[in-house]
Each structure stands twice: as C-alpha cells, then as structure tokens.
Amino acid sequence: MSEQDAFALLPETRREILRRLKGAGELRAEELAEAVGMTASGMRQQLSGLVAEGYVTHRQARLGPGRPKHVYRLTTAGENLFPRRYGDLVGDLLETAQAEEPGFVERLFDRRRERRLERARTRTTAPDLADRVAAIAAILDEDGYLAAARPLADGGGWLIVEQNCAIFDVAIRCGTACSSELAFLREALPDTEVRRVSHMVAGAPHCAYEIRPRGTWPEAGSTRADAGSSGTE
C-alpha cells in the first residue's frame, strides 16, 4: 500500500489534523482543536492515535507561564503521506540532459551500476550460488524493491521477484533504468544466466528474474509461470 493510499484510509478528522500540521509545522492540541472544531480532550485522543501510528510526534515547549505544553508535528512517516513528485522531476531532468548531451543518461546509470556492484561484491563472496543469490535479493530489498529469492519449480535455479520498483517513475520514461538493472544482476552473478521474465513497465504486477548456472538454461521453455507474467529479456 502506498503512503497516499494509507492517507485516504484514515478517518477524515485525522486527515484534517495531518493537513493542519503539514501547513503550520507545529501546533498545540488546543490550537488544533479550535481549527478542526472539537474539544481539546477529543483532540488529544486523536493525537494519541496518530502518535501510536507513527505519523505524529511531539516535544515539550515553554510558551509562557505555567507548565510546558506539548507541541505536535509530523514525523517522517507523516510527511510521506503527502504526494511527492520526485520521480516526475528526475524524469524531466534526465530527458533534458539527454537532449542536451546524448549518452549522458547511459553514463549516469553506468556509474550507478558500478557503485551498486562495488557494494554487492563485498557481500557475494560465498562459494555457494544460492547464498549469493540470496545476498543479491537482500541488497535489492534494502534498496526499496521489496525483493525476495526462491528456488525455481524445476530446481534448476532461482527466481528473484521485486514486488516494488523503487525507481518506477523514472523507469517508465527511461528504458536505460531497466536495462541497467538487468546488467547489474548479470554482473553481480557472473557465473549465471539472468533473464527478466516479468516486467512492471510492461504491465506486470512485479518484476522477476530467472537465474540459472551458466550453461544450464533449458533448450525450450522456461519456468516463466513461476513469475506470473510475461516480459522476457
């Protein structure tokens, strides 16, 4: 579920509280209660729920005579509930850069792939291929791809499935992003053959890659049914 979907599922009162905090930065419970039109005690109950869900935090501030007051603000998770169009911006910048200097985008993704490979090589030194495939899946998962590896049904290799594309907004506008991802997997596992068998950009629900020891790929057919969609490469 995306952050925006999570926001839509919240009760309207809580959505309005989050909007007020987003606009003001920080507010006391009494200020929020007045803005939303509810009692201060009712607002504190709503804020307690939002704190428990991880969307709001508070600090103590001395705003005059008397005891310090709780001042509420959004957490990073709360900030992320609101749309951010970073992908569109990056896509626009890449298209502009490519028009100005052909080949720039390819070089950019080459550098990204090289940095990822440097990190991967320190974690793929195990002699057993299964361990190295698992390590690559873990790296992809850490990078935001919600990735996991599992054995193929025929026992001849593994399937890495990415349930999320961390750079989807860029990938749908720049094919180099997807080709770079495939190249990364092939270079990180040089003793294997890697083929993409499911592709989100092509409309599949996820991206998936079959990985087999080099020279063992079946002559005809594949375990593509394991991936649940087409989109080979």
Side-chain angles (χ1 to χ4, degrees), residues 32-52:
L32 281 164
E34 182 178 357
V36 175
M38 63 188 306
T39 65
S41 61
M43 176 56 65
R44 291 189 182 93
Q45 290 180 354
Q46 294 291 334
L47 288 167
S48 293
L50 288 167
V51 169

Side-chain angles (χ1 to χ4, degrees), residues 132-233:
R132 286 183 276 131
V133 171
I136 291 297
I139 290 170
L140 294 171
D141 190 61
E142 292 162 10
D143 287 343
Y145 289 87
L146 300 181
R150 66 172 185 261
L152 290 170
D154 64 4
W158 297 267
L159 190 75
I160 287 181
V161 178
E162 298 174 342
Q163 298 287 354
N164 179 59
C165 178
I167 56 171
F168 184 75
D169 289 342
V170 174
I172 59 177
R173 300 174 64 171
C174 179
T176 304
C178 293
S179 59
S180 176
E181 187 76 3
L182 185 59
F184 163 71
L185 290 172
R186 286 172 172 167
E187 292 182 48
L189 299 166
D191 54 344
T192 71
E193 293 182 57
V194 181
R195 299 186 187 181
R196 182 187 291 119
V197 295
S198 182
H199 199 187
M200 290 179 68
V201 169
H206 50 248
C207 289
Y209 302 86
E210 279 190 28
I211 301 168
R212 296 176 182 270
R214 187 172 296 279
T216 66
W217 204 275
E219 288 296 325
S222 73
T223 58
R224 191 173 305 160
D226 288 352
S229 182
S230 60
T232 59
E233 185 173 343

